[in-house]
Amino acid sequence: MRRLLARRMKFHLLGAFVVSVGCATIYKFGVAEPRKRAYAEFYRSYDPMKDFQAMKAAGVLECAPPK
């Protein structure tokens, strides 16, 4: 029973490290990278003036009333 805590602690610390690195990797490639690609694709073809004119025509903006 001697050094049982120390042995178990090494095992659990190693396990916790492996699980945390695995979760970080899964998040990076499962969430962050697809999100970056989606934003890049959206802003590649985004026209702010066209969007402004559409919001203006819909009456969304108080500073620019529709004509």
Side-chain angles (χ1 to χ4, degrees):
M1 297 292 281
R2 287 188 177 173
R3 292 185 293 268
L4 178 63
L5 179 61
R7 281 193 312 236
R8 299 291 291 179
M9 187 65 73
K10 286 180 188 176
F11 173 74
H12 285 107
L13 283 175
L14 180 64
F17 180 75
V18 169
V19 168
S20 64
V21 168
C23 287
T25 303
I26 288 171
Y27 181 83
K28 177 176 173 43
F29 292 111
V31 176
E33 291 297 324
R35 188 176 290 171
K36 283 182 194 177
R37 284 193 300 271
Y39 276 107
E41 178 62 34
F42 175 77
Y43 283 110
R44 188 174 299 127
S45 62
Y46 179 67
D47 183 16
M49 287 306 295
K50 181 180 172 185
D51 197 28
F52 172 74
Q53 294 300 330
M55 287 190 286
K56 184 177 173 182
V60 174
L61 303 173
E62 291 181 12
C63 65
K67 290 184 179 182

